Amino acid sequence: MAAPPHRAAPGRSGGSGGEGRAEPGRLRGAGSGMMPPGELQQPAGSMGNLAALAELDEASLLQGLRERFLRQQVYTDVGDILIALNPFQPLQLYGREVSEQYRCHDEGSLPPHIFAVADRAYHAMLGRRGARPQSQCIVISGESGAGKTESTKLLLQHIMNLCKGNSQLEQQILQVNPLLEAFGNAQTVMNDNSSRFGKYIQLRFQNNTVRGAKLSEYLLEKSRVVQHDTGERNFHIFYYMFAGLSSEEKEMYGLLDPSLYRYISGQFGTEDVARRWKQKYQEVCNALDMVGFQEQEQVDMQAILAGVLSLGNVTFEPPESNGSLKMSEASRGWLKAAAGQFGVQEDELLKCLICTMSVTRGEQIQRFHTQQQAEDARDSIAKVAYGRVFGWIVSKINELLAENVDPEVELREIGILDIFGFENFAVNRFEQLCINLANEQLQHFFNHHIFQLEQAAYRAEELSWETITFNNNEPILNLLLAKPLGLLSLLDEQSAFPQATDKTFVDKLNSSFKGNLHFQPARGRVLGFSIIHYAGKVQYTADGFLEKNRDTLPANVRGLFINSITPLLSMLFTATISRTGTLMPHVKAKIVPEADNKFNSTRKQSAGAQFRHSLMVLMERMYSANPHFVRCIKPNSQKEPGVVDNQMLLQQLRYNGLLETIRIRRDGFSWRPSFEEFAERYGILLVKPDVSLNKESCLKILQSTDVTGWICGKSRLFFKYWHQEQLAKYVERLERAAVVIQKVFRGFRCRKSYLELVAELRAQAQRQQEEAERERSRQQAMEAEAQKRISLPIPLPRKRLPRPYPRPQTVPDMPPQPPVPRPRSKLTEFTPFDNFLHPTGPRPVPGTEEQTGEEAKMRQLKRGATLRWFRETQAQKVMQDDGAFPSWLHGMISRREAENLLIDKPLGCFLVRISQSRPGYTLTYRGEGRCRHYMIEMQPNTRYVILGEDRAHTSLTELVQYHQTVGIQPFMEKLTVPCGQQREFGL
């Protein structure tokens, strides 16, 4: 247990300046019970922020979380860290209205929520609320079943709502989670939707708009494809396929009754479960369409998955006297089905299962497998095939969601880490060791950021601070990761020896870690070992450690699949594998014919080495960003709503170090800017130019505010977690004042320019009028002089005088009216006072006619290109069986024409028109009091999507039919009556 917290003796705190050192006990807020503004000392259960607890011990912490949970308040803050208890039931906490409430809200004004974490990270990334612009990461941790995956989806949902733009990218990003859940999650004894892989989602932003996303995956549990314990299932996608595919589709993929397949153990569930799986399959297909997967790619992928299931039913008989291995008679049909589904020759696939081909001195040698080796080869092929399909899905998502911006444009990001939780099963294997290693790394990252960095800063600034102790798990990480004598290094060493076994590996561990406090040998004849993790002791079974770490694939299997007639399968095995285990489809692997058949020539690193390297890359990314923490807690192991197991809850609070976290958040200073950083950001508060970036300026800035409880060190300032929000309000107030000043000044400047221009134009008009009067007087004088010289009058022919400009009729004795500005036209350019000078209307500026002609020409070219696109790619798809177009399709008409057609139609009437400026369609809908226009986007995979919707459609007709029953977001308006054509449109 940690030692009790001690008080820091500050320099001087509060608004008093913070110079020099003061006596212990003068610190306001550090250990003296200081609470953030708005927090009063209340009973533990009513506290939304546990850092404000008056009494800090395990009992009050447990009571506070328990009482809040039973009131369905599942979120609780510890300073700026969120604790989330899994409610095991749907709650009305995540709708659009709630999301809007947490959109740019003031800290403390609303209860703790997962949306508040997303909001804080988003605005910190943009440099708002007193922070400098910086990439962020959100770390979600907790044991399996604590709710990490759901928390990730909610974070993504709110961030996409915050950066809502006019593109389909936000919806595509939201569809990534259900897609990956289907292929990477499975039911375990601890969790019905357990992530069997880790993922780090990087959202890339330009200013406040998301421009792309990248996904990194870690350690997919491929062994689940071929083996899972009692009470567990295979990956979700296999069950979704059987529930969702039609009879014709199952026949096309060669799928039979699900109870026949060994890899899914005949477990299919009740009718209600099958109905839910069918709906999930439809969601997966929609996600594939939305993200942009081609139809043929989806067909090939499902054919490969069907092949994996069929291959699992191939069994073998004991070898005959000549040593050759035979396949059982009952398996011939399954082998034929698997070969067809993989697109390879049946006899070639059988050879890969029962024997190994090698070349020695130019001579080809065939070695037959034992029955166990053949079964291992079968399972190895199934695992590798599924693993590469999953890797390809991730790679394809990254390709389709990659940012399309200038490489020189600076992008910031928000990373969200959703990784497998700490696991301790009845039987723990190689996968559990890697999973728990990842959780050890996350716990170390948390400790480093929350405890080590903060307390090191206090020592460096020579503040009187007695260390808060915490459970440091560095010795466990050294046990697992150290070189050359760490557990993974010893595992790689043993894996490199052909004669090594799981027993020799365990013996090596026992001799190397003898006396290590965090390692215990297994008792009796059990082949295994135990490790004392930060979350408790876990006993591991060593069976299969070497084989899983080697992750081998015979070279003849790779050659077989490269020559497959299924394009996707061929591409998967042509691709290479990166150091982190990532599939790179566009990089061909080098084929080394002489490579040892026991190892895949493209995979020279072991599974453990790949995982260690990928963890290192992940940690580098996270250390370079500003972290936010969400600690997920599992209230009971029965997954029952409204039930709290005190002992289980207390155990998680202890190993997560939450009591120590509350202490350091209450007594410590989580925000520690340097003098330069602080003065540069908040110098505006002094309301003067050229603020010096030094200590004196910082103190003047703080003295100009009412902020208290801070400390001034030697080179930086120390603030509580709520101070940043307080200072941001001062900055926002000045920013609002600056906007008002700008508005008034710009108005004054425009009015002054307006009056000067009016005076100038009136003077010019007056001068022209006086000149005209003088000219008229001169003409009259000349005519009079001419008349005097002529004795007799001579009739002159009549001339048609030019018509004067019609002047507006005015009421007699009315004072002259000031000029009325005209709106500017896109086609003609004129001053807003032309109606005063020339009442007939605006005068075109010279050169406009040529510009208008160019614009008209460009519009005509776009219309022609769109019409060609419709004729060549769309006409046959949209045309009905009788050869006519649907009544709601109105060809290429303008927005105004569409509105005129619908103006007298009933509510819900609609039409679809071809866009005039781009290949695509627009849906025009008669809404309440106005017409709405929805863009229909054509995706590269030929799917139709209404911009902003989360569902893709295979045809325009299907889209219309769907939204006749399901409303269009955000107004949820349903299409009712199609607007018939007044005339047939011609194409």
Side-chain angles (χ1 to χ4, degrees):
M1 293 301 293
H6 296 271
R7 307 292 185 258
R12 285 174 67 187
S13 64
S16 58
E19 182 70 37
R21 299 210 182 104
E23 308 78 38
R26 288 286 303 276
L27 172 59
R28 300 176 64 180
S32 57
M34 184 177 184
M35 293 173 286
E39 292 281 5
L40 300 176
Q41 292 191 5
Q42 303 168 13
S46 61
M47 296 295 289
N49 192 339
L50 295 180
L53 279 174
E55 297 292 331
L56 182 60
D57 53 35
E58 285 186 348
S60 58
L61 176 58
L62 184 63
Q63 177 191 356
L65 290 175
R66 177 188 175 87
E67 291 181 6
R68 289 180 61 81
F69 178 76
L70 295 178
R71 292 199 300 268
Q72 296 190 346
Q73 295 173 328
V74 296
Y75 295 114
T76 307
D77 282 333
V78 175
D80 51 359
I81 300 165
L82 184 72
I83 300 177
L85 273 71
N86 191 343
F88 293 120
Q89 61 178 322
L91 298 177
Q92 302 300 317
L93 293 177
Y94 310 108
R96 181 181 295 272
E97 300 79 10
V98 179
S99 182
E100 287 299 321
Q101 289 176 8
Y102 284 88
R103 189 185 181 101
C104 203
H105 72 294
D106 290 335
E107 291 286 339
S109 62
L110 291 172
H113 201 288
I114 191 75
F115 289 165
V117 177
D119 188 76
R120 189 160 57 238
Y122 177 73
H123 291 292
M125 181 267 301
L126 294 176
R128 299 173 183 168
R129 294 181 178 172
R132 64 181 179 86
Q134 183 185 1
S135 293
Q136 311 288 310
C137 71
I138 303 175
V139 184
I140 308 170
S141 58
E143 69 176 53
S144 181
K148 298 180 299 300
T149 299
E150 290 302 315
S151 294
T152 301
K153 289 191 284 190
L154 292 168
L155 286 168
L156 279 174
Q157 171 190 325
H158 189 66
I159 292 173
M160 291 301 103
N161 185 40
L162 288 171
C163 67
K164 197 70 174 175
N166 189 26
S167 76
Q168 197 61 21
L169 181 60
E170 293 91 347
Q171 283 298 335
Q172 289 178 307
I173 291 172
L174 290 175
Q175 293 297 323
V176 166
N177 260 315
L179 181 56
L180 293 178
E181 275 187 36
F183 287 87
N185 287 27
Q187 176 182 314
T188 67
V189 292
M190 296 178 69
N191 186 1
D192 291 342
N193 187 32
S194 177
S195 296
R196 309 318 301 161
F197 72 108
K199 64 176 178 287
Y200 187 63
I201 304 173
Q202 296 165 268
L203 304 174
R204 304 269 175 79
F205 293 85
Q206 183 180 6
N207 298 325
N208 61 345
T209 304
V210 64
R211 301 304 299 270
K214 183 181 179 183
L215 183 72
S216 303
E217 53 96 3
Y218 303 96
L219 194 72
L220 176 71
E221 189 186 27
K222 295 181 292 186
S223 62
R224 182 164 293 273
V225 175
V226 301
Q227 177 189 9
H228 40 270
D229 295 329
T230 305
E232 299 192 350
R233 296 186 188 273
N234 211 318
F235 291 104
H236 292 327
I237 187 61
F238 292 113
Y239 307 97
Y240 294 173
M241 284 175 59
F242 281 109
L245 290 172
S246 65
S247 301
E248 295 77 12
E249 289 170 327
K250 287 178 184 175
E251 185 176 352
M252 179 181 74
Y253 291 122
L255 290 173
L256 304 178
D257 189 275
S259 61
L260 301 175
Y261 292 94
R262 191 174 62 87
Y263 280 166
I264 57 176
S265 305
Q267 300 174 353
F268 199 66
T270 63
E271 289 185 7
D272 289 340
V273 172
R275 197 177 303 113
R276 189 170 69 249
W277 286 345
K278 182 177 182 178
Q279 182 182 354
K280 289 286 188 182
Y281 178 77
Q282 293 168 351
E283 291 175 6
V284 170
C285 292
N286 179 63
L288 289 166
D289 289 340
M290 286 288 294
V291 176
F293 286 77
Q294 299 291 337
E295 186 174 358
Q296 187 58 50
E297 291 173 336
Q298 298 181 36
V299 170
D300 289 351
M301 177 181 64
Q302 295 187 81
I304 295 171
L305 297 182
V308 167
L309 291 178
S310 297
L311 184 65
N313 282 10
V314 176
T315 57
F316 304 93
E317 295 177 350
E320 297 182 350
S321 56
N322 61 0
S324 62
L325 185 70
K326 288 184 62 178
M327 180 180 62
S328 64
E329 285 298 322
S331 299
R332 295 198 176 276
W334 294 113
L335 180 70
K336 184 176 182 180
Q341 290 153 341
F342 286 144
V344 298
Q345 294 293 325
E346 182 181 348
D347 56 342
E348 294 294 328
L349 179 58
L350 180 59
K351 281 183 183 179
C352 292
L353 294 174
I354 65 173
C355 65
T356 298
M357 303 295 295
S358 61
V359 178
T360 304
R361 296 179 181 179
E363 183 180 355
Q364 196 173 47
I365 299 175
Q366 186 179 50
R367 291 195 293 266
F368 283 98
H369 292 161
T370 64
Q371 183 176 355
Q372 184 61 50
Q373 287 174 331
E375 291 172 353
D376 290 344
R378 173 200 64 202
D379 291 345
S380 176
I381 292 172
K383 289 188 294 184
V384 171
Y386 188 86
R388 296 212 174 189
V389 167
F390 185 81
W392 168 76
I393 291 173
V394 172
S395 174
K396 189 74 175 176
I397 288 172
N398 289 336
E399 178 185 328
L400 294 169
L401 301 186
E403 59 273 9
N404 184 20
V405 296
D406 189 332
E408 296 183 0
V409 173
E410 182 182 3
L411 297 179
R412 292 188 177 86
E413 69 178 42
I414 298 177
I416 302 176
L417 179 65
D418 172 24
I419 206 160
F420 14 58
F422 188 86
E423 293 182 348
N424 188 1
F425 297 142
V427 179
N428 300 288
R429 301 184 173 88
F430 175 74
E431 292 81 9
Q432 276 68 50
L433 178 70
C434 293
I435 287 170
N436 292 340
L437 167 59
N439 281 272
E440 290 282 0
Q441 279 278 25
L442 291 185
Q443 182 67 15
H444 181 264
F445 178 75
F446 180 82
N447 290 341
H448 178 80
H449 186 81
I450 299 299
F451 296 105
Q452 291 174 315
L453 285 181
E454 186 165 326
Q455 298 188 106
Y458 301 151
R459 290 191 294 270
E461 296 291 312
E462 297 182 2
L463 302 183
S464 296
W465 172 272
E466 293 197 24
T467 303
I468 292 179
T469 59
F470 60 95
N471 292 324
N472 191 345
N473 67 336
E474 279 190 26
I476 306 173
L477 287 176
N478 291 333
L479 167 71
L480 297 171
L481 295 175
K483 291 183 178 181
L485 295 178
L487 189 148
L488 289 185
S489 296
L490 295 176
L491 179 60
D492 283 347
E493 176 187 296
Q494 291 290 303
S495 298
F497 295 142
Q499 303 305 319
T501 63
D502 294 325
K503 185 178 185 310
T504 62
F505 167 61
V506 171
D507 292 340
K508 185 75 173 178
L509 294 183
N510 292 338
S511 61
S512 299
F513 299 134
K514 186 177 181 180
N516 192 305
L517 297 178
H518 300 281
F519 180 88
Q520 290 182 2
R523 295 180 179 178
R525 297 186 177 182
V526 177
L527 188 62
F529 55 92
S530 297
I531 293 179
I532 315 300
H533 287 283
Y534 78 98
K537 177 180 174 181
V538 179
Q539 182 171 343
Y540 295 98
T541 299
D543 289 332
F545 258 64
L546 291 185
E547 188 61 32
K548 290 177 180 178
N549 187 55
R550 288 168 179 158
D551 201 13
T552 58
L553 181 68
N556 54 346
V557 172
R558 181 171 176 271
L560 173 68
F561 285 160
I562 285 176
N563 296 319
S564 168
I565 61 172
T566 303
L568 178 59
L569 188 62
S570 176
M571 183 269 292
L572 293 180
F573 283 84
T574 306
T576 191
I577 305 293
S578 72
R579 291 184 64 194
T580 58
T582 303
L583 186 78
M584 298 189 292
H586 303 297
V587 181
K588 292 188 177 181
K590 295 180 180 179
I591 300 176
V592 184
E594 294 81 9
D596 186 353
N597 288 326
K598 289 184 71 62
F599 294 91
N600 184 351
S601 58
T602 66
R603 178 174 292 202
K604 297 181 180 179
Q605 284 194 316
S606 66
Q610 287 175 357
F611 184 59
R612 178 170 53 197
H613 189 77
S614 64
L615 270 184
M616 181 179 69
V617 173
L618 173 65
M619 289 298 116
E620 286 177 358
R621 288 174 181 160
M622 291 169 59
Y623 275 110
S624 66
N626 179 47
H628 305 258
F629 296 99
V630 178
R631 308 292 268 183
C632 294
I633 302 291
K634 191 174 181 180
N636 63 79
S637 57
Q638 294 78 33
K639 296 174 274 191
E640 291 288 336
V643 176
V644 178
D645 183 336
N646 286 348
Q647 191 60 37
M648 185 175 187
L649 187 58
L650 186 60
Q651 181 185 5
Q652 294 173 79
L653 295 179
R654 283 174 177 169
Y655 73 64
N656 277 312
L658 285 178
L659 196 64
E660 294 82 1
T661 302
I662 294 171
R663 284 175 178 150
I664 201 166
R665 274 296 179 261
R666 187 183 72 171
D667 299 344
F669 299 84
S670 58
W671 181 38
R672 304 174 293 278
S674 67
F675 294 145
E676 293 78 9
E677 292 172 349
F678 185 82
E680 182 178 8
R681 180 68 185 92
Y682 296 101
I684 187 177
L685 297 181
L686 293 180
V687 197
K688 68 176 186 179
D690 302 324
V691 175
S692 301
L693 306 182
N694 54 29
K695 178 178 180 179
E696 289 71 24
S697 297
C698 294
L699 298 180
K700 289 179 182 177
I701 292 169
L702 288 167
Q703 287 167 357
S704 69
T705 70
D706 295 329
V707 176
T708 60
W710 47 270
I711 299 179
C712 183
K714 293 195 304 182
S715 63
R716 63 184 62 248
L717 294 163
F718 292 80
F719 293 96
K720 296 292 185 181
Y721 59 88
W722 67 79
H723 282 147
Q724 207 164 3
E725 183 72 19
Q726 287 182 326
L727 287 166
K729 290 179 180 178
Y730 285 100
V731 174
E732 289 170 4
R733 187 170 63 188
L734 284 181
E735 288 174 345
R736 287 194 297 268
V739 171
V740 172
I741 293 171
Q742 289 174 348
K743 179 183 71 172
V744 172
F745 174 73
R746 287 172 179 168
F748 165 76
R749 189 173 61 181
C750 289
R751 281 192 296 273
K752 183 178 178 181
S753 300
Y754 174 86
L755 293 174
E756 289 175 352
L757 185 56
V758 167
E760 181 183 345
L761 290 172
R762 285 175 173 167
Q764 182 181 351
Q766 183 66 28
R767 288 194 299 269
Q768 290 175 352
Q769 187 176 357
E770 291 174 357
E771 182 67 29
E773 287 293 336
R774 285 195 296 270
E775 181 66 24
R776 189 160 49 249
S777 298
R778 192 174 64 84
Q779 288 290 343
Q780 289 175 354
M782 290 175 62
E783 288 175 3
E785 186 66 28
Q787 287 291 338
K788 292 177 182 179
R789 292 197 297 267
I790 300 173
S791 56
L792 295 174
I794 300 173
L796 297 174
R798 291 188 65 179
K799 293 183 179 179
R800 176 176 292 180
L801 298 177
R803 295 182 180 178
Y805 290 122
R807 291 186 176 275
Q809 296 181 359
T810 58
V811 180
D813 302 327
M814 286 277 297
Q817 297 295 316
V820 180
R822 289 179 182 272
R824 286 186 177 271
S825 166
K826 293 181 180 178
L827 303 182
T828 57
E829 199 70 33
F830 57 95
T831 74
F833 311 103
D834 284 340
N835 58 333
F836 175 77
L837 300 174
H838 305 288
T840 55
R843 298 174 299 173
V845 172
T848 303
E849 293 83 354
E850 181 182 351
Q851 181 183 357
T852 304
E854 286 297 321
E855 291 179 354
K857 185 177 179 181
M858 287 302 299
R859 285 198 302 271
Q860 195 61 32
L861 287 174
K862 288 181 179 179
R863 287 168 62 95
T866 304
L867 284 174
R868 282 195 303 274
W869 164 81
F870 181 84
R871 289 194 195 98
E872 295 170 4
T873 67
Q874 299 294 302
Q876 292 299 323
K877 295 181 180 180
V878 180
M879 197 174 292
Q880 299 176 149
D881 294 338
D882 58 1
F885 290 109
S887 60
W888 39 260
L889 185 62
H890 279 245
M892 185 177 285
I893 61 174
S894 69
R895 178 189 182 106
R896 180 60 56 84
E897 289 172 325
E899 291 177 349
N900 290 340
L901 286 172
L902 294 174
I903 195 167
D904 57 348
K905 295 293 191 293
L907 192 68
C909 190
F910 70 96
L911 60 87
V912 177
R913 54 192 173 89
I914 303 171
S915 173
Q916 295 180 308
S917 58
R918 63 180 179 85
Y921 301 94
T922 301
L923 172 67
T924 302
Y925 172 88
R926 175 72 167 85
E928 187 70 43
R930 59 165 294 180
C931 287
R932 306 191 198 282
H933 303 271
Y934 298 97
M935 289 176 62
I936 300 176
E937 190 175 81
M938 277 286 296
Q939 298 196 150
N941 60 355
T942 71
R943 296 298 192 264
Y944 300 81
V945 183
I946 292 180
L947 203 64
E949 281 289 316
D950 59 358
R951 187 177 181 87
H953 306 273
T954 57
S955 68
L956 205 56
T957 303
E958 181 189 300
L959 181 148
V960 169
Q961 292 172 347
Y962 176 78
H963 287 293
Q964 286 177 328
T965 56
V966 179
I968 304 173
Q969 296 179 13
F971 303 103
M972 302 310 294
E973 297 168 324
K974 296 180 183 178
L975 309 181
T976 55
V977 184
C979 178
Q981 302 168 25
Q982 294 182 348
R983 57 180 176 81
E984 288 292 326
F985 66 87
L987 298 171

